[in-house]
Short mmCIF file of all heavy atoms in Angstrom, two decimals:
data_model
loop_
_atom_site.label_atom_id
_atom_site.label_comp_id
_atom_site.label_asym_id
_atom_site.label_seq_id
_atom_site.Cartn_x
_atom_site.Cartn_y
_atom_site.Cartn_z
N MET N 1175 112.60 116.42 147.48
CA MET N 1175 112.88 115.78 146.21
C MET N 1175 111.70 114.93 145.77
O MET N 1175 111.27 114.06 146.55
CB MET N 1175 114.12 114.92 146.32
CG MET N 1175 114.46 114.15 145.05
SD MET N 1175 115.98 113.25 145.27
CE MET N 1175 115.81 112.04 144.01
N ASN N 1176 111.17 115.18 144.61
CA ASN N 1176 110.08 114.40 144.13
C ASN N 1176 110.51 113.37 143.10
O ASN N 1176 110.66 113.60 141.92
CB ASN N 1176 108.98 115.30 143.47
CG ASN N 1176 108.18 116.05 144.54
OD1 ASN N 1176 108.17 115.71 145.67
ND2 ASN N 1176 107.51 117.10 144.04
N GLU N 1177 110.73 112.18 143.64
CA GLU N 1177 111.14 111.06 142.78
C GLU N 1177 109.88 110.62 142.02
O GLU N 1177 108.83 110.42 142.58
CB GLU N 1177 111.67 109.94 143.62
CG GLU N 1177 112.20 108.79 142.84
CD GLU N 1177 112.61 107.61 143.74
OE1 GLU N 1177 112.64 107.80 144.97
OE2 GLU N 1177 112.83 106.52 143.21
N GLU N 1178 110.07 110.41 140.71
CA GLU N 1178 108.97 109.96 139.90
C GLU N 1178 109.03 108.46 139.66
O GLU N 1178 110.12 107.94 139.35
CB GLU N 1178 108.89 110.74 138.58
CG GLU N 1178 108.50 112.17 138.80
CD GLU N 1178 108.56 113.04 137.55
OE1 GLU N 1178 109.25 112.63 136.62
OE2 GLU N 1178 107.92 114.07 137.54
N ILE N 1179 107.92 107.79 139.83
CA ILE N 1179 107.88 106.38 139.54
C ILE N 1179 106.75 106.13 138.57
O ILE N 1179 105.83 106.92 138.40
CB ILE N 1179 107.68 105.55 140.81
CG1 ILE N 1179 106.36 105.83 141.49
CG2 ILE N 1179 108.84 105.81 141.81
CD1 ILE N 1179 106.07 104.87 142.58
N TYR N 1180 106.80 104.94 137.99
CA TYR N 1180 105.75 104.57 137.08
C TYR N 1180 104.80 103.56 137.66
O TYR N 1180 105.16 102.68 138.43
CB TYR N 1180 106.38 103.91 135.80
CG TYR N 1180 107.06 104.90 134.90
CD1 TYR N 1180 108.45 105.03 134.87
CD2 TYR N 1180 106.28 105.76 134.10
CE1 TYR N 1180 109.04 105.97 134.07
CE2 TYR N 1180 106.92 106.68 133.27
CZ TYR N 1180 108.28 106.78 133.28
OH TYR N 1180 108.87 107.69 132.46
N ILE N 1181 103.53 103.77 137.34
CA ILE N 1181 102.48 102.86 137.77
C ILE N 1181 101.90 102.25 136.52
O ILE N 1181 101.66 102.92 135.53
CB ILE N 1181 101.35 103.66 138.49
CG1 ILE N 1181 101.84 104.30 139.81
CG2 ILE N 1181 100.12 102.79 138.75
CD1 ILE N 1181 102.08 103.37 140.92
N PHE N 1182 101.70 100.95 136.57
CA PHE N 1182 101.03 100.30 135.47
C PHE N 1182 99.55 100.20 135.81
O PHE N 1182 99.17 99.59 136.76
CB PHE N 1182 101.62 98.90 135.21
CG PHE N 1182 102.97 98.96 134.53
CD1 PHE N 1182 104.13 98.98 135.25
CD2 PHE N 1182 103.05 99.02 133.17
CE1 PHE N 1182 105.37 99.05 134.66
CE2 PHE N 1182 104.27 99.13 132.52
CZ PHE N 1182 105.44 99.12 133.26
N CYS N 1183 98.73 100.79 134.96
CA CYS N 1183 97.30 100.79 135.20
C CYS N 1183 96.73 99.40 134.95
O CYS N 1183 96.95 98.80 133.89
CB CYS N 1183 96.65 101.81 134.25
SG CYS N 1183 94.84 101.78 134.36
N PRO N 1184 96.03 98.83 135.92
CA PRO N 1184 95.47 97.50 135.76
C PRO N 1184 94.24 97.49 134.83
O PRO N 1184 93.80 96.45 134.38
CB PRO N 1184 95.04 97.08 137.17
CG PRO N 1184 94.95 98.34 137.94
CD PRO N 1184 95.80 99.39 137.29
N ASP N 1185 93.78 98.68 134.49
CA ASP N 1185 92.58 98.77 133.62
C ASP N 1185 93.01 98.84 132.17
O ASP N 1185 92.71 97.97 131.35
CB ASP N 1185 91.76 99.97 134.04
CG ASP N 1185 90.34 99.95 133.40
OD1 ASP N 1185 89.99 98.89 132.82
OD2 ASP N 1185 89.61 100.91 133.50
N CYS N 1186 93.74 99.89 131.80
CA CYS N 1186 94.12 100.08 130.38
C CYS N 1186 95.51 99.52 130.10
O CYS N 1186 95.93 99.48 128.95
CB CYS N 1186 94.06 101.55 130.01
SG CYS N 1186 95.33 102.56 130.80
N ARG N 1187 96.17 99.04 131.15
CA ARG N 1187 97.55 98.47 131.02
C ARG N 1187 98.58 99.51 130.52
O ARG N 1187 99.65 99.12 130.05
CB ARG N 1187 97.53 97.24 130.15
CG ARG N 1187 96.68 96.13 130.74
CD ARG N 1187 96.53 94.97 129.77
NE ARG N 1187 95.57 93.99 130.28
CZ ARG N 1187 95.92 92.96 131.07
NH1 ARG N 1187 97.18 92.79 131.40
NH2 ARG N 1187 95.03 92.14 131.50
N GLY N 1188 98.20 100.72 130.63
CA GLY N 1188 99.15 101.77 130.24
C GLY N 1188 100.06 102.11 131.40
O GLY N 1188 99.81 101.75 132.55
N LYS N 1189 101.11 102.86 131.13
CA LYS N 1189 102.07 103.24 132.15
C LYS N 1189 101.95 104.74 132.34
O LYS N 1189 101.97 105.48 131.43
CB LYS N 1189 103.46 102.88 131.64
CG LYS N 1189 104.55 103.03 132.61
CD LYS N 1189 105.86 102.43 132.08
CE LYS N 1189 106.49 103.30 131.00
NZ LYS N 1189 107.84 102.87 130.66
N PHE N 1190 101.81 105.16 133.60
CA PHE N 1190 101.80 106.58 133.83
C PHE N 1190 102.67 106.89 135.08
O PHE N 1190 103.00 106.05 135.86
CB PHE N 1190 100.39 107.12 134.00
CG PHE N 1190 99.62 106.61 135.25
CD1 PHE N 1190 99.54 107.41 136.36
CD2 PHE N 1190 98.97 105.42 135.20
CE1 PHE N 1190 98.82 106.96 137.46
CE2 PHE N 1190 98.24 104.95 136.31
CZ PHE N 1190 98.20 105.73 137.44
N GLU N 1191 103.07 108.17 135.12
CA GLU N 1191 104.03 108.62 136.05
C GLU N 1191 103.39 109.32 137.25
O GLU N 1191 102.47 110.12 137.09
CB GLU N 1191 104.94 109.63 135.31
CG GLU N 1191 106.37 109.74 135.80
CD GLU N 1191 107.12 110.69 134.90
OE1 GLU N 1191 106.79 111.87 134.81
OE2 GLU N 1191 108.10 110.23 134.27
N VAL N 1192 103.84 109.00 138.42
CA VAL N 1192 103.40 109.69 139.63
C VAL N 1192 104.64 110.05 140.45
O VAL N 1192 105.68 109.47 140.30
CB VAL N 1192 102.41 108.87 140.48
CG1 VAL N 1192 101.12 108.58 139.72
CG2 VAL N 1192 103.04 107.61 140.98
N VAL N 1193 104.49 111.02 141.33
CA VAL N 1193 105.64 111.33 142.22
C VAL N 1193 105.57 110.43 143.43
O VAL N 1193 104.50 110.01 143.88
CB VAL N 1193 105.67 112.80 142.64
CG1 VAL N 1193 105.99 113.69 141.47
CG2 VAL N 1193 104.39 113.23 143.35
N ARG N 1194 106.73 110.06 143.92
CA ARG N 1194 106.85 109.08 145.02
C ARG N 1194 106.00 109.51 146.22
O ARG N 1194 105.41 108.64 146.91
CB ARG N 1194 108.32 108.97 145.42
CG ARG N 1194 108.60 108.04 146.54
CD ARG N 1194 108.23 106.57 146.20
NE ARG N 1194 108.42 105.69 147.37
CZ ARG N 1194 107.51 105.53 148.29
NH1 ARG N 1194 106.36 106.17 148.20
NH2 ARG N 1194 107.73 104.73 149.29
N GLU N 1195 105.93 110.75 146.48
CA GLU N 1195 105.16 111.20 147.65
C GLU N 1195 103.66 111.02 147.52
O GLU N 1195 102.95 111.07 148.52
CB GLU N 1195 105.49 112.70 148.03
CG GLU N 1195 105.02 113.68 147.00
CD GLU N 1195 105.41 115.10 147.41
OE1 GLU N 1195 106.26 115.29 148.31
OE2 GLU N 1195 104.82 116.01 146.83
N ASP N 1196 103.19 110.75 146.33
CA ASP N 1196 101.78 110.44 146.14
C ASP N 1196 101.46 108.98 146.46
O ASP N 1196 100.31 108.60 146.53
CB ASP N 1196 101.32 110.74 144.72
CG ASP N 1196 101.14 112.27 144.47
OD1 ASP N 1196 101.11 113.00 145.49
OD2 ASP N 1196 101.06 112.70 143.35
N ILE N 1197 102.50 108.17 146.60
CA ILE N 1197 102.27 106.76 146.91
C ILE N 1197 102.14 106.60 148.39
O ILE N 1197 103.08 106.46 149.14
CB ILE N 1197 103.46 105.90 146.37
CG1 ILE N 1197 103.70 106.12 144.90
CG2 ILE N 1197 103.15 104.41 146.64
CD1 ILE N 1197 102.52 105.79 143.99
N VAL N 1198 100.90 106.67 148.84
CA VAL N 1198 100.59 106.58 150.25
C VAL N 1198 99.49 105.50 150.38
O VAL N 1198 98.48 105.55 149.67
CB VAL N 1198 100.10 107.92 150.83
CG1 VAL N 1198 99.68 107.79 152.27
CG2 VAL N 1198 101.14 108.99 150.65
N GLU N 1199 99.73 104.55 151.31
CA GLU N 1199 98.78 103.49 151.48
C GLU N 1199 97.34 104.02 151.71
O GLU N 1199 97.16 104.91 152.56
CB GLU N 1199 99.21 102.63 152.65
CG GLU N 1199 98.62 101.24 152.65
CD GLU N 1199 99.26 100.39 153.75
OE1 GLU N 1199 100.48 100.36 153.87
OE2 GLU N 1199 98.45 99.86 154.56
N GLY N 1200 96.37 103.52 150.98
CA GLY N 1200 95.01 103.97 151.12
C GLY N 1200 94.63 105.11 150.25
O GLY N 1200 93.44 105.43 150.09
N GLU N 1201 95.61 105.76 149.59
CA GLU N 1201 95.31 106.84 148.67
C GLU N 1201 94.81 106.28 147.36
O GLU N 1201 95.07 105.14 146.97
CB GLU N 1201 96.57 107.66 148.38
CG GLU N 1201 96.91 108.65 149.49
CD GLU N 1201 95.89 109.72 149.64
OE1 GLU N 1201 95.61 110.47 148.66
OE2 GLU N 1201 95.34 109.86 150.76
N VAL N 1202 94.05 107.11 146.67
CA VAL N 1202 93.50 106.73 145.38
C VAL N 1202 94.12 107.61 144.27
O VAL N 1202 93.99 108.84 144.43
CB VAL N 1202 91.98 106.78 145.35
CG1 VAL N 1202 91.41 106.49 143.95
CG2 VAL N 1202 91.39 105.82 146.38
N LEU N 1203 94.68 107.02 143.31
CA LEU N 1203 95.22 107.77 142.21
C LEU N 1203 94.28 107.63 140.97
O LEU N 1203 93.53 106.69 140.92
CB LEU N 1203 96.60 107.20 141.78
CG LEU N 1203 97.67 107.16 142.84
CD1 LEU N 1203 98.91 106.50 142.25
CD2 LEU N 1203 98.01 108.56 143.32
N GLU N 1204 94.40 108.54 140.08
CA GLU N 1204 93.63 108.45 138.86
C GLU N 1204 94.60 108.20 137.70
O GLU N 1204 95.56 108.94 137.53
CB GLU N 1204 92.79 109.70 138.63
CG GLU N 1204 91.79 109.54 137.49
CD GLU N 1204 90.93 110.79 137.43
OE1 GLU N 1204 90.05 110.98 138.29
OE2 GLU N 1204 91.11 111.54 136.44
N CYS N 1205 94.32 107.19 136.87
CA CYS N 1205 95.14 106.91 135.71
C CYS N 1205 95.04 108.11 134.78
O CYS N 1205 93.95 108.53 134.41
CB CYS N 1205 94.68 105.63 135.06
SG CYS N 1205 95.51 105.31 133.48
N SER N 1206 96.20 108.63 134.40
CA SER N 1206 96.20 109.78 133.52
C SER N 1206 95.82 109.40 132.07
O SER N 1206 95.62 110.27 131.22
CB SER N 1206 97.53 110.47 133.53
OG SER N 1206 98.54 109.59 133.11
N LEU N 1207 95.75 108.13 131.79
CA LEU N 1207 95.44 107.65 130.46
C LEU N 1207 93.97 107.33 130.27
O LEU N 1207 93.39 107.71 129.26
CB LEU N 1207 96.28 106.43 130.14
CG LEU N 1207 97.81 106.60 130.28
CD1 LEU N 1207 98.49 105.30 130.16
CD2 LEU N 1207 98.33 107.56 129.21
N CYS N 1208 93.38 106.59 131.22
CA CYS N 1208 91.96 106.18 131.07
C CYS N 1208 91.07 106.75 132.14
O CYS N 1208 89.83 106.53 132.07
CB CYS N 1208 91.91 104.66 130.97
SG CYS N 1208 92.20 103.83 132.56
N GLY N 1209 91.63 107.30 133.18
CA GLY N 1209 90.79 107.90 134.21
C GLY N 1209 90.34 106.91 135.29
O GLY N 1209 89.60 107.26 136.19
N ALA N 1210 90.85 105.69 135.21
CA ALA N 1210 90.48 104.69 136.19
C ALA N 1210 91.00 105.07 137.60
O ALA N 1210 92.07 105.70 137.68
CB ALA N 1210 91.05 103.30 135.78
N GLU N 1211 90.27 104.69 138.63
CA GLU N 1211 90.74 104.98 139.99
C GLU N 1211 91.49 103.76 140.48
O GLU N 1211 91.02 102.62 140.43
CB GLU N 1211 89.54 105.33 140.88
CG GLU N 1211 88.89 106.66 140.45
CD GLU N 1211 87.86 107.07 141.47
OE1 GLU N 1211 87.07 106.26 141.89
OE2 GLU N 1211 87.87 108.27 141.82
N ILE N 1212 92.66 104.03 141.02
CA ILE N 1212 93.56 103.01 141.42
C ILE N 1212 93.99 103.24 142.85
O ILE N 1212 94.51 104.31 143.20
CB ILE N 1212 94.82 102.96 140.51
CG1 ILE N 1212 94.36 102.69 139.06
CG2 ILE N 1212 95.87 101.99 140.99
CD1 ILE N 1212 95.43 103.05 138.05
N GLU N 1213 93.69 102.29 143.72
CA GLU N 1213 94.01 102.44 145.14
C GLU N 1213 95.41 101.86 145.45
O GLU N 1213 95.75 100.80 144.99
CB GLU N 1213 92.98 101.72 145.98
CG GLU N 1213 93.18 101.91 147.47
CD GLU N 1213 92.16 101.18 148.32
OE1 GLU N 1213 91.22 100.61 147.82
OE2 GLU N 1213 92.39 101.18 149.56
N ILE N 1214 96.16 102.63 146.29
CA ILE N 1214 97.42 102.13 146.77
C ILE N 1214 97.16 101.19 147.96
O ILE N 1214 96.65 101.67 148.97
CB ILE N 1214 98.31 103.31 147.24
CG1 ILE N 1214 98.40 104.39 146.18
CG2 ILE N 1214 99.71 102.78 147.63
CD1 ILE N 1214 99.00 103.99 144.88
N VAL N 1215 97.45 99.93 147.81
CA VAL N 1215 97.22 99.00 148.90
C VAL N 1215 98.48 98.75 149.75
O VAL N 1215 98.43 98.36 150.89
CB VAL N 1215 96.60 97.67 148.44
CG1 VAL N 1215 95.23 97.87 147.91
CG2 VAL N 1215 97.47 96.97 147.37
N GLN N 1216 99.65 99.05 149.16
CA GLN N 1216 100.91 98.89 149.88
C GLN N 1216 101.92 99.85 149.26
O GLN N 1216 101.98 100.03 148.09
CB GLN N 1216 101.38 97.48 149.79
CG GLN N 1216 102.58 97.17 150.68
CD GLN N 1216 102.97 95.70 150.57
OE1 GLN N 1216 102.21 94.81 150.88
NE2 GLN N 1216 104.18 95.44 150.12
N GLU N 1217 102.69 100.46 150.15
CA GLU N 1217 103.65 101.49 149.63
C GLU N 1217 104.95 100.91 149.06
O GLU N 1217 105.42 101.33 148.05
CB GLU N 1217 103.99 102.49 150.76
CG GLU N 1217 102.82 103.35 151.16
CD GLU N 1217 103.21 104.30 152.32
OE1 GLU N 1217 104.36 104.77 152.35
OE2 GLU N 1217 102.37 104.49 153.18
N ASP N 1218 105.55 99.99 149.84
CA ASP N 1218 106.86 99.49 149.43
C ASP N 1218 107.01 98.01 149.75
O ASP N 1218 107.10 97.66 150.92
CB ASP N 1218 107.95 100.31 150.15
CG ASP N 1218 109.33 99.98 149.64
OD1 ASP N 1218 109.45 99.41 148.54
OD2 ASP N 1218 110.32 100.25 150.36
N PRO N 1219 107.02 97.15 148.79
CA PRO N 1219 106.90 97.45 147.33
C PRO N 1219 105.50 97.92 146.99
O PRO N 1219 104.56 97.52 147.64
CB PRO N 1219 107.26 96.14 146.67
CG PRO N 1219 106.80 95.09 147.63
CD PRO N 1219 107.10 95.69 149.02
N THR N 1220 105.39 98.74 145.98
CA THR N 1220 104.13 99.30 145.60
C THR N 1220 103.17 98.27 145.07
O THR N 1220 103.47 97.54 144.13
CB THR N 1220 104.31 100.42 144.55
OG1 THR N 1220 105.31 101.31 145.02
CG2 THR N 1220 103.03 101.14 144.29
N LYS N 1221 102.00 98.18 145.75
CA LYS N 1221 100.96 97.33 145.26
C LYS N 1221 99.71 98.17 145.10
O LYS N 1221 99.38 98.98 145.93
CB LYS N 1221 100.67 96.16 146.25
CG LYS N 1221 101.74 95.13 146.28
CD LYS N 1221 101.27 93.97 147.15
CE LYS N 1221 102.37 92.92 147.23
NZ LYS N 1221 102.01 91.92 148.24
N ILE N 1222 99.06 97.93 143.98
CA ILE N 1222 97.86 98.73 143.66
C ILE N 1222 96.69 97.79 143.30
O ILE N 1222 96.92 96.64 142.96
CB ILE N 1222 98.11 99.67 142.48
CG1 ILE N 1222 98.55 98.88 141.23
CG2 ILE N 1222 99.15 100.74 142.85
CD1 ILE N 1222 98.66 99.69 139.95
N LYS N 1223 95.50 98.39 143.38
CA LYS N 1223 94.38 97.63 142.84
C LYS N 1223 93.41 98.62 142.20
O LYS N 1223 93.32 99.80 142.59
CB LYS N 1223 93.67 96.79 143.95
CG LYS N 1223 92.86 97.65 144.90
CD LYS N 1223 91.99 96.77 145.83
CE LYS N 1223 91.13 97.64 146.71
NZ LYS N 1223 90.36 96.82 147.70
N LEU N 1224 92.70 98.10 141.25
CA LEU N 1224 91.72 98.91 140.54
C LEU N 1224 90.46 99.05 141.36
O LEU N 1224 89.95 98.07 141.86
CB LEU N 1224 91.45 98.22 139.18
CG LEU N 1224 90.47 98.91 138.25
CD1 LEU N 1224 91.08 100.24 137.74
CD2 LEU N 1224 90.13 98.03 137.08
N LEU N 1225 90.02 100.29 141.51
CA LEU N 1225 88.76 100.54 142.18
C LEU N 1225 87.63 100.45 141.15
O LEU N 1225 87.72 101.09 140.13
CB LEU N 1225 88.72 101.89 142.84
CG LEU N 1225 89.51 102.08 144.13
CD1 LEU N 1225 89.22 103.51 144.66
CD2 LEU N 1225 89.13 101.06 145.18
N THR N 1226 86.63 99.71 141.49
CA THR N 1226 85.48 99.64 140.59
C THR N 1226 84.30 100.31 141.24
O THR N 1226 84.27 100.56 142.41
CB THR N 1226 85.12 98.13 140.26
OG1 THR N 1226 84.87 97.49 141.48
CG2 THR N 1226 86.27 97.48 139.59
N GLU N 1227 83.33 100.58 140.42
CA GLU N 1227 82.10 101.27 140.91
C GLU N 1227 81.37 100.36 141.87
O GLU N 1227 80.74 100.82 142.82
CB GLU N 1227 81.21 101.64 139.76
CG GLU N 1227 81.91 102.44 138.67
CD GLU N 1227 81.46 103.88 138.75
OE1 GLU N 1227 80.34 104.18 139.09
OE2 GLU N 1227 82.33 104.77 138.49
N GLU N 1228 81.39 99.07 141.59
CA GLU N 1228 80.65 98.15 142.46
C GLU N 1228 81.46 97.80 143.70
O GLU N 1228 82.59 97.42 143.63
CB GLU N 1228 80.36 96.84 141.69
CG GLU N 1228 79.41 97.03 140.55
CD GLU N 1228 79.24 95.76 139.72
OE1 GLU N 1228 78.91 94.73 140.34
OE2 GLU N 1228 79.48 95.78 138.52
N GLU N 1229 80.82 97.97 144.83
CA GLU N 1229 81.44 97.65 146.07
C GLU N 1229 81.01 96.25 146.52
O GLU N 1229 79.85 95.87 146.43
CB GLU N 1229 81.01 98.63 147.18
CG GLU N 1229 81.50 100.03 146.94
CD GLU N 1229 82.92 100.24 147.44
OE1 GLU N 1229 83.23 99.67 148.47
OE2 GLU N 1229 83.69 100.93 146.77
N GLU N 1230 81.98 95.48 146.98
CA GLU N 1230 81.60 94.17 147.54
C GLU N 1230 81.49 94.29 149.05
O GLU N 1230 82.26 94.98 149.69
CB GLU N 1230 82.80 93.19 147.27
CG GLU N 1230 82.88 92.80 145.79
CD GLU N 1230 84.03 91.79 145.60
OE1 GLU N 1230 84.13 90.89 146.42
OE2 GLU N 1230 84.78 91.96 144.65
N ASP N 1231 80.47 93.67 149.55
CA ASP N 1231 80.39 93.63 150.99
C ASP N 1231 80.10 92.26 151.58
O ASP N 1231 80.80 91.35 151.41
CB ASP N 1231 79.38 94.63 151.57
CG ASP N 1231 78.02 94.51 151.03
OD1 ASP N 1231 77.48 93.37 151.04
OD2 ASP N 1231 77.47 95.49 150.58
ZN1 LIG U 1696 94.38 103.39 132.78
#
């Protein structure tokens, strides 16, 4: 069963739908609205962060 959930894009602030099974810690999703890359930092409750081109070290 593919439960669909909504992710709020931290970049464009739009809402897009993903299936629950795609929410895996460490996975990177792409916003279907603006193409931003969004990393799953925690599965439950779902926490995400925007991936930027610049890496901090
Ligand atoms: Zn977006």
Side-chain angles (χ1 to χ4, degrees):
M1175 174 177 161
N1176 285 343
E1177 185 186 349
E1178 290 175 339
I1179 64 169
Y1180 287 103
I1181 296 286
F1182 285 92
C1183 176
D1185 194 9
C1186 69
R1187 298 172 186 270
K1189 188 172 74 169
F1190 65 99
E1191 208 175 62
V1192 296
V1193 293
R1194 179 63 185 86
E1195 66 180 16
D1196 283 347
I1197 305 299
V1198 177
E1199 202 174 307
E1201 281 294 302
V1202 176
L1203 303 176
E1204 189 175 290
C1205 175
S1206 61
L1207 303 171
C1208 72
E1211 293 189 316
I1212 298 162
E1213 184 182 353
I1214 310 298
V1215 292
Q1216 188 177 301
E1217 291 178 37
D1218 188 18
T1220 307
K1221 287 187 183 173
I1222 58 172
K1223 73 170 184 183
L1224 182 66
L1225 284 186
T1226 58
E1227 305 257 325
E1228 293 174 55
E1229 293 277 322
E1230 290 180 42
D1231 56 50

